[in-house]
Amino acid sequence: MSKFDKKIKEAAMAEHREVPQSVKKVIDDTLDSLPESSGKVHRLNYVSRIAGIAACFVLVLFVVIPNVSPAYAEALEGVPVIGKLIKLVTVRNYYYSDGNHEMNIKVPEIQDENKAGEFINKDVNSITEALVNEFYKTLGVSRNEGYGAIYLDYDAVTETPLWFTLKLSVTETAADSHSYFKFYNIDRVKGEIVDLGDLFASEDSLGIVSEEIERQMKSKMAGNPELVFWTEGTEFKTNSQLLKSGHNYYWNKEGNLVIPFDKYEVGPGYMGAPEFEIEKNVIKNILKPEYREIIG
């Protein structure tokens, strides 16, 4: 027996681990399938062998691998799952707090076999490194005065067999609080990143979506005088300036297109970060054929 095998055996004897229900079911089903004519000795041998396999399974899954791989240990704690594969994990967490300054940055990684995931991971790393450097630069200047905080979290806002969307949420606080977002959309069939402009058959289509957003803005303001959006004639002079090809977007559960805006982007700060839902019937005829299946 090798030293490694001996170490595993000793760890298995020292650790008390409950066998998962899924493993218990396999054992029970196997035992029930054994012929009674095989005799008690044969049956006991089967029980011993299967129980040993189950113990090894539990040891490797819950004892050995987490201790060898911290990333795997964290993955077991409940990361988002697409189908049967883990697609999104936290690979780093930057944290600092001294009472006046605070940083909490979670760095996600997309585990995929295509170039889209690789590109997104590099972009996310660039963003997080810039935020961390900015925080420590500010900390060096004003360690004993003022207050400052940077937070970055993430979420998988769309997970279907056809589509995956990662959302980064950044909040920076000093004299004022500012939040902004970054959405990454992946066509899982093609394995490619899809910008907002890539969804449509014509360049003019962004103008149609912009008009719908502006219509919703005016409708909301008409219904509530406390709401203020910068529509045509104020901040935005034409509809074509409202949306660019690389603007943030995502698909919601109803298959409608959602266009989010950062704080201060289309209204004063107290309006927060508004989102506008574009109904299917508004865009179904201007989408490229390959993306019409997304909206159903």
Side-chain angles (χ1 to χ4, degrees):
M1 180 182 294
S2 69
K3 291 182 179 179
F4 183 71
D5 291 337
K6 184 177 181 181
K7 185 175 181 180
I8 293 179
K9 183 177 180 181
E10 291 173 350
M13 295 176 66
E15 288 281 342
H16 174 69
R17 299 283 172 169
E18 188 72 22
V19 178
Q21 290 296 326
S22 58
V23 178
K24 288 181 178 179
K25 186 177 185 306
V26 173
I27 295 172
D28 291 338
D29 291 345
T30 304
L31 290 176
D32 290 340
S33 67
L34 293 176
E36 294 295 335
S37 59
S38 62
K40 292 184 178 180
V41 174
H42 289 171
R43 189 175 179 85
L44 287 172
N45 285 338
Y46 272 105
V47 173
S48 177
R49 292 181 63 187
I50 294 173
I53 293 171
C56 288
F57 169 82
V58 176
L59 171 67
V60 172
L61 182 60
F62 293 99
V63 181
V64 176
I65 295 179
N67 286 330
V68 172
S69 173
Y72 190 90
E74 188 168 357
L76 289 174
E77 295 176 1
V79 297
V81 174
I82 302 174
K84 297 181 180 180
L85 299 175
I86 296 174
K87 285 292 185 180
L88 192 59
V89 297
T90 301
V91 290
R92 284 185 302 283
N93 191 185
Y94 297 98
Y95 181 80
Y96 177 92
S97 179
D98 63 9
N100 292 325
H101 302 84
E102 185 167 297
M103 171 178 62
N104 193 349
I105 294 177
K106 298 177 182 178
V107 184
E109 179 178 274
I110 291 178
Q111 295 183 347
D112 212 339
E113 296 180 353
N114 55 59
K115 294 293 183 179
E118 182 180 334
F119 173 84
I120 291 172
N121 292 336
K122 288 182 179 179
D123 198 51
V124 169
N125 284 331
S126 296
I127 292 172
T128 54
E129 287 177 9
L131 290 173
V132 171
N133 291 336
E134 177 187 342
F135 176 82
Y136 281 117
K137 182 179 179 180
T138 303
L139 183 65
V141 174
S142 59
R143 180 182 295 272
N144 299 319
E145 57 186 50
Y147 174 80
I150 293 181
Y151 307 99
L152 184 149
D153 207 346
Y154 67 90
D155 188 23
V157 295
T158 306
E159 299 178 83
T160 73
L162 301 176
W163 208 261
F164 174 76
T165 302
L166 169 66
K167 174 186 178 183
L168 294 186
S169 302
V170 180
T171 300
E172 298 185 69
T173 303
D176 191 11
S177 177
H178 179 49
S179 297
Y180 52 95
F181 310 92
K182 174 72 173 178
F183 290 78
Y184 299 92
N185 290 276
I186 298 179
D187 179 340
R188 296 189 65 192
V189 177
K190 295 181 178 179
E192 298 176 351
I193 296 173
V194 182
D195 286 340
L196 178 63
D198 298 331
L199 296 174
F200 304 106
S202 169
E203 293 182 0
D204 298 333
S205 299
L206 286 178
I208 296 175
V209 178
S210 293
E211 289 176 359
E212 170 59 18
I213 292 173
E214 195 159 332
R215 183 197 67 78
Q216 292 185 29
M217 287 178 172
K218 291 177 179 178
S219 176
K220 290 176 184 291
M221 288 190 290
N224 185 348
E226 295 184 358
L227 300 182
V228 176
F229 292 106
W230 296 324
T231 59
E232 186 175 0
T234 56
E235 181 71 9
F236 298 104
K237 296 180 180 180
T238 64
N239 289 325
S240 62
Q241 291 179 319
L242 185 58
L243 293 179
K244 301 298 182 183
S245 179
H247 193 92
N248 281 329
Y249 76 95
Y250 66 93
W251 302 100
N252 64 15
K253 293 180 180 179
E254 290 72 34
N256 293 329
L257 183 67
V258 181
I259 306 295
F261 290 90
D262 292 339
K263 188 176 179 180
Y264 303 111
E265 192 173 3
V266 292
Y270 71 84
M271 293 295 293
E275 296 186 344
F276 296 89
E277 184 174 352
I278 313 300
E279 298 287 342
K280 300 176 185 178
N281 62 337
V282 175
I283 60 172
K284 64 180 180 181
N285 292 327
I286 60 176
L287 286 174
K288 290 179 180 177
E290 60 264 38
Y291 297 128
R292 291 173 188 170
E293 188 177 353
I294 296 172
I295 65 176

